[in-house]
Amino acid sequence: MHADARLALDQAVAIGAGEGEALLLLAWWTNSRSQGIGSASITAALQAHVDALAASLVGRCVELFDRLLGGYPIDGWRLSRTRRLQHAIARSSP
């Protein structure tokens, strides 16, 4: 697993998600984010589980994933120079 994805999962656990919940939310976020996978079958498989979680936890994890992983395109781990700078700034924000 990419180090930044592992960091995002660890931080999701640190803010109150269980390990399975963090992984579920990462998969859901990857599917539903802007220019994400957008698969209806993934949404169907995950949505009921996400809906069972506290909305505040889902919101905090989405913000976390947006901040730590949002600079990456959905199809790879290579950041442009501008995205690398934005990513570095986002990682240093609380």
Side-chain angles (χ1 to χ4, degrees):
M1 178 175 286
H2 190 277
D4 287 343
R6 183 71 252 169
L7 174 66
L9 289 172
D10 290 344
Q11 288 191 17
V13 169
I15 63 172
E19 288 181 352
E21 293 168 337
L23 192 54
L24 165 73
L25 289 170
L26 179 59
W28 178 79
W29 174 82
T30 302
N31 186 58
S32 62
R33 69 181 267 204
S34 176
Q35 298 187 12
I37 297 169
S39 167
S41 62
I42 292 174
T43 298
L46 301 181
Q47 194 64 53
H49 300 289
V50 172
D51 289 345
L53 299 174
S56 61
L57 177 64
V58 174
R60 287 192 318 269
C61 286
V62 166
E63 288 175 8
L64 175 72
F65 297 150
D66 283 341
R67 182 170 50 86
L68 294 179
L69 303 174
Y72 289 107
I74 198 67
D75 61 351
W77 289 105
R78 302 194 81 192
L79 293 171
S80 68
R81 188 175 349 179
T82 302
R83 289 295 206 170
R84 283 193 306 270
L85 178 59
Q86 290 171 337
H87 184 70
I89 291 168
R91 286 186 71 177
S92 66
S93 300

